[in-house]
Amino acid sequence: MIFAPTALSPHEDALRHDVRRWLADTLPADFRPGLGLGGRHDPGFSRALAGQGWVGMAIPREYGGAGASTVERFVVVEELLAAGAPIAAHWIAERQTAPALLRFGTEEQRRWFLPRIAAGECFFSLGMSEPDAGSDLASVRTTATRTEEGWRVDGTKVWTTNAHLNHFVVVLCRTSAAQDRHAGLSQLIVDLSSPGVTVSPIPLIDGELHVNEVVLDGVVVPDERVLGEVGQGWAQVTAELAHERSGPDRYLSVLGLLRAFVAEHGKDLDEAAAEAFGGIAARLWSIRQLSLSVARALEQGEAPATEAALVKDVGTVFEQEVVETMRDLAAAEIDPEAASLFERLLAECVLNAPSWTLRGGTTEVLRGIAAKALTRGGAR
Amino acid sequence: MSDEGEELRRAVADVLRERCTPEALEAAERDGEAPGIWTALAEGGFPTVSVPESAGGSGGSVAQACAVLEAVGAAPAPVPAAETGLLGGRLLAAAGLELPEGPVTTAASPRLAFDGEVLAGSVARVPWARSAAALAVLADAPDGPVVVLVDPAATAVTPGRNLAGEPRDHVVLDGVRPLATAPAPPGAGDALRRRGALSRAALIAGAARAVAGLTVRYTGERVQFGRPVSAFPAVAAHLVRIAEQTELVAMAARAAAASAGEDGEPAGLDVAAAAAVASRAAGEVAAAAHQATGAMGMTREFALGALTRRLWSWRDEWGGGRPWAAELGRALAAGGAEELWPTVSRGLVSPGAAR
C-alpha cells in the first residue's frame, strides 16, 4: 500500500478557497444541496463553472483545459461535492471520458471533444452495464459489426445515467467473437441523437427518472468514433475504473446532510449525539486523507488500483453508516416533505444509500479486487 | 515526512524483530518487564525521540516519535516507549526539567496534590510503574499545576495489568517528596492527554499492520476443502476489512502526528479524530483477524493473541474513543454548519498551525 499523508500546497489551498467563494456567490441562498453525485443536471451551471476553468481542468491547455494536476482537480471536485453543487451534466465527461480520450483517443478526437468538454458543452454517459452484464462486465452482448460506413451497433445498455439529457455515450461492445471473453471488446463513442437510439427511463425506487435503458438498433457509428484500439476495450475500461474509484464522490454524498444536521441540531447536542456525530466526522476526516493520498499518487504517475478499491469500499460503507446514525439522531418518522431540510435530505439519503455501494463496482467486486492484491502479496 | 517515517519504522523494527520473540513476550508478561528489549531500544535513542536534545532526549518531531511507536506496536515491544519520550519526556521538557536515565512512565493524574513539600493522592493504571526509573506526572499545587518527577521506589506500587499482561500499576504517592518539581506550562494536562491518545493511535496502527500481515500469511497457508482458506470470498472479505481499517488508522495517526510540525504539539481536533478512528479500528481488526484465523488464532502459541490483546487494551487507554469522538463532535457543532467542511478539509495544509 502506498497511502502516505500528504499536505495541500499553498497554491492548492488557495484554489480551494477560490472555488468555495465562487460557489457561495453563485449558488442561490435557498439552494438545496444534492447528494454528491446526485447533484442536479444543470448545463447552465456546468458552463458557468467551465467559465472559471474548473471543468476538465486536468485537460492540457492545448486541448482547451487548464493543464491542472490531479490534486488540483481533486480540490475543486471536493468543493463542488461538499456544496452539493449541480454537477451531473459534465460529471462523466470530465471525470471519465476526458482522461480516456487523453489516454486512448486519436488526435482528431481530442481536438474535437476535449475543448467542448472543458467548455461545459459536451456531456457524456457511460454505456457499460447491460441486462445480463452487471458486475460481470465482460459478458456484454452489444455488438458492433463492420459496415461500409463504419460500424453498426446493436444491443441494450442499462443504468445509463442522464442518457436522456447528454450528448454522447461511450459504449462497451463486442467487435469480434473471441474465445477469451476479455478479448474482442471495444469502446465506441455513440451520438445519442443518432437514428436507432431509443432512450427510456428506468424509474428508481424514489420515483426519480435519471437512469435509463438505451436500446441501440442498427446505430451507425463512423470509424473515427472508435475510442482507442479495436479489441482493447477491456484493458481501457479497467484503466478507467482506477480513476472512477477512490475520488471524493465516495465519501461526500452525506456532507449536505451533516451540514444540515449541525445547522438544525448543533446547538443542543447531548453527549451521545456529540459522540455519534464526532465519530462520523473522525472517519470522514481519515477517509478524506486516504482519498487525497491516492490523488497524490495518481499525480505522481502511480496506478494505485487496489488502494482506490479500498477507499471506495471504506467510503461508501461509511456513507451508509452515516445515514443510519443520522436517522437514529433524528428520532422522528422520516418525512420527505418535512419543513426541516435535514429531514428532507435524510429521506433522500435513505432512499438512495443502497446505490452507493453498488455504482462504480459493488462492494463485493471491490473486495474481490482488493483481496486478490492482498493475497498476492500486493500489500506490505 | 513519509519516507523519513518509513526509515525510522524500519530501523526500530530491525532492532525489535529478533528480540520480541514469543518466548520474550511470555517472559515479559511473567516478569512485568523486558530489560533486554528496553536496553536495545534505548541504545538507539528511540524511546526519547521528540524530546529536545537540550532536555536529554534524542530530538525530532512528534511524527517521528509516532513512527517509532508504530514499530513498537507491531513488534510488539513490552516496554514504556511511549511513556518515556512522547508522553513523560515531553511533559518534563515543557516544564524545563531534565529527562532522567532509564524508562520513565506517566499517566493522567487528576487526583494528585502537591503542597510544596510532599504529594498526596494516587495515580491509577500507570504503565510499568514497578520497573520505571522515574514517574513524571502533573499535580495540583497552591499556585497552579506543577510537573513532578518522582522515584517510584519511594511510592507504594500495587501491581496491575492490562489484557496483554502489560503492567498497569496503582501508585500511591501520599507523603512522597518529589525528586524535582517545576510549574507546568499552561495547558500541559490537555497536551499530555492528547499525546497519550495519539500514542495509542500510533501503537494501534502498528499492531494492526502486524495483524494484517499475520492473517494474510496464515489464511494463505491454511488449506481446507482443498484450497487456501483465503481463496474463499467470505474469508477474503475479512482480510480486506483488516487492510482497510489498518490503512485508516495509520493515516489518522500519521496525519494527526504531522499536525504537530517539526517542534510543536499535535492539533486537538486531529488527535481527537485519530483517537476515535483508532479505538474503533482496533476492535474491527481484532474481530476480523480472529474470525479469519479460526481456533488457531485463539491459542497462546499463535502470535495473533499478543497483538489482539494489546489492541483490546490500548483502544481504551487515555480516554478511549468515545470521549474523543464527543469532544470532536462538540467542537464541530459549536463551529456551526458553514464551518463544518472547511474544518474537516483543513487537513495538513499548514502543519503546526494553530487550529
Side-chain angles (χ1 to χ4, degrees):
Chain A
M1 299 287 158
I2 54 166
F3 293 114
T6 181
L8 291 187
S9 69
H11 162 73
E12 289 161 351
D13 196 42
L15 173 63
R16 170 187 296 289
H17 286 95
D18 289 345
V19 179
R20 201 172 276 169
R21 203 171 314 118
W22 183 82
L23 283 170
D25 293 344
T26 306
L27 297 174
D30 62 346
F31 172 72
R32 174 175 171 158
L35 306 180
L37 288 188
R40 278 180 304 112
H41 191 287
D42 180 347
F45 177 84
S46 292
R47 273 194 298 274
L49 189 69
Q52 299 295 310
W54 294 332
V55 174
M57 63 187 294
I59 295 172
R61 287 181 189 279
E62 54 180 311
Y63 300 117
S69 72
T70 310
V71 172
E72 286 168 331
R73 180 182 171 271
F74 175 95
V75 163
V76 171
V77 167
E78 250 196 350
E79 290 305 312
L80 292 169
L81 293 168
I87 44 132
H90 68 269
W91 180 255
I92 295 297
E94 109 102 29
R95 183 190 70 184
Q96 208 132 336
T97 316
L101 283 164
L102 279 167
R103 241 175 121 168
F104 308 115
T106 62
E107 186 59 22
E108 191 193 350
Q109 286 169 345
R110 292 179 192 176
R111 297 228 168 267
W112 199 89
F113 284 108
L114 293 175
R116 287 171 171 79
I117 290 174
E121 287 171 357
C122 183
F123 306 139
F124 276 78
S125 293
L126 294 176
M128 297 208 198
S129 299
E130 296 183 4
D132 293 319
S135 290
D136 181 12
L137 198 55
S139 62
V140 294
R141 286 190 200 154
T142 296
T143 55
T145 324
R146 257 201 198 283
T147 65
E148 282 175 11
E149 307 153 280
W151 299 86
R152 178 199 153 98
V153 183
D154 293 280
T156 302
K157 292 292 173 180
V158 289
W159 321 131
T160 317
T161 305
N162 291 326
H164 59 307
L165 301 171
N166 290 343
H167 306 107
F168 295 94
V169 57
V170 180
V171 171
L172 179 68
C173 56
R174 210 158 274 293
T175 40
S176 71
Q179 276 297 84
D180 173 2
R181 45 191 218 115
H182 290 145
L185 290 172
S186 305
Q187 284 184 294
L188 264 58
I189 300 171
V190 175
D191 186 333
L192 280 162
S193 64
S194 309
V197 175
T198 310
V199 177
S200 26
I202 304 174
L204 295 184
I205 57 174
D206 60 354
E208 291 289 325
L209 301 174
H210 49 76
V211 163
N212 301 284
E213 175 194 71
V214 178
V215 175
L216 304 153
D217 181 10
V219 178
V220 175
V221 178
D223 216 20
E224 63 265 24
R225 287 284 166 82
V226 173
L227 174 59
E229 277 181 60
V230 173
Q232 287 302 306
W234 182 254
Q236 292 173 201
V237 164
T238 314
E240 270 179 51
L241 289 175
H243 279 267
E244 177 176 350
R245 290 165 182 157
S246 93
D249 39 315
R250 304 308 180 188
Y251 52 89
L252 283 176
S253 306
V254 291
L255 209 273
L257 177 71
L258 294 174
R259 202 165 40 225
F261 172 75
V262 172
E264 296 179 27
H265 300 286
K267 294 270 179 285
D268 50 8
L269 290 192
D270 62 18
E271 186 69 8
E275 190 184 309
F277 174 62
I280 285 170
R283 268 175 291 148
L284 173 60
W285 173 85
S286 310
I287 293 168
R288 173 181 178 272
Q289 307 270 359
L290 286 183
S291 177
L292 175 59
S293 87
V294 172
R296 191 68 86 192
L298 283 167
E299 179 180 280
Q300 291 163 355
E302 305 190 55
T306 310
E307 286 83 352
L310 284 188
V311 173
K312 182 186 182 284
D313 185 29
V314 172
T316 52
V317 168
F318 158 77
E319 289 184 329
Q320 289 179 340
E321 285 173 6
V322 168
V323 176
E324 279 307 289
T325 305
M326 287 291 128
R327 192 182 65 81
D328 278 347
L329 293 178
E333 291 180 28
I334 294 179
D335 178 359
E337 270 116 43
S340 140
L341 174 63
F342 170 63
E343 288 181 42
R344 288 202 307 276
L345 288 173
L346 184 58
E348 196 180 336
C349 281
V350 169
L351 292 174
N352 279 278
S355 73
W356 297 340
T357 47
L358 301 174
R359 63 186 184 192
T362 66
T363 299
E364 290 72 17
V365 166
L366 293 170
R367 289 182 182 165
I369 292 170
K372 251 187 219 162
L374 291 173
T375 51
R376 265 203 315 260
R380 273 202 304 274
Chain B
M1 125 71 210
S2 59
D3 287 344
E4 205 178 300
E6 188 60 38
E7 261 174 49
L8 203 46
R9 277 191 290 279
R10 263 196 218 128
V12 177
D14 286 344
V15 170
L16 295 175
R17 192 170 300 115
E18 305 295 319
R19 294 185 170 86
C20 295
T21 59
E23 298 73 30
L25 293 179
E26 285 295 341
E29 218 166 307
R30 189 182 59 236
D31 305 341
E33 60 176 331
I37 295 171
W38 171 262
T39 304
L41 263 189
E43 273 171 3
F46 296 118
T48 58
V49 169
S50 84
V51 180
E53 289 179 37
S54 58
S58 306
S61 63
V62 167
Q64 289 171 327
C66 285
V68 170
L69 292 181
E70 279 190 46
V72 166
V79 292
E83 287 71 21
T84 298
L86 182 61
L87 307 186
R90 280 179 76 93
L91 176 68
L92 292 168
L97 295 175
E98 188 89 356
L99 187 67
E101 281 292 309
V104 175
T105 190
T106 187
S109 51
R111 286 176 301 280
L112 193 62
F114 180 60
D115 65 3
E117 294 287 327
V118 293
L119 293 157
S122 62
V123 186
R125 309 287 299 170
V126 184
W128 287 277
R130 67 188 85 157
S131 59
L135 170 69
V137 282
L138 284 159
D140 281 321
D143 296 331
V146 291
V147 176
V148 299
L149 187 68
V150 175
D151 177 2
T155 67
V157 176
T158 309
R161 58 192 183 96
N162 65 14
L163 295 170
E166 296 179 324
R168 293 293 185 266
D169 302 331
H170 190 78
V171 181
V172 179
L173 292 124
D174 290 322
V176 171
R177 202 171 289 274
L179 297 170
T181 68
D190 283 342
L192 176 62
R193 202 169 63 89
R194 276 202 285 275
R195 293 197 306 277
L198 177 61
S199 72
R200 268 42 188 179
L203 288 167
I204 287 170
R209 198 169 294 281
V211 167
L214 194 63
T215 311
V216 165
R217 237 176 2 259
Y218 179 77
T219 56
E221 290 162 4
R222 169 78 173 163
V223 172
Q224 291 285 276
F225 306 103
R227 47 187 175 145
V229 293
S230 64
F232 294 92
V235 176
H238 293 308
L239 304 182
V240 174
R241 187 167 160 220
I242 293 167
E244 289 173 347
Q245 293 300 315
T246 297
E247 298 301 340
L248 203 59
V249 60
M251 178 59 75
R254 291 175 194 180
S259 76
E262 285 307 309
D263 48 17
E265 284 286 309
L269 295 189
D270 296 28
V271 170
V277 166
S279 181
R280 180 176 153 131
E284 290 203 16
V285 165
H290 276 294
Q291 190 63 29
T293 53
M296 179 53 81
M298 292 302 290
T299 63
R300 190 81 174 188
E301 175 197 349
F302 195 61
L304 183 64
L307 293 162
T308 52
R309 288 188 293 135
R310 281 172 171 79
L311 290 174
W312 289 322
S313 300
W314 294 338
R315 66 176 171 174
D316 290 330
E317 294 180 350
W318 291 98
R322 297 177 59 180
W324 289 106
E327 186 171 321
L328 179 63
R330 276 192 300 270
L332 288 173
E338 292 316 309
E339 281 306 304
L340 175 63
W341 173 243
T343 306
V344 169
S345 64
R346 204 159 293 149
L348 291 173
V349 177
S350 44
R355 308 218 173 147

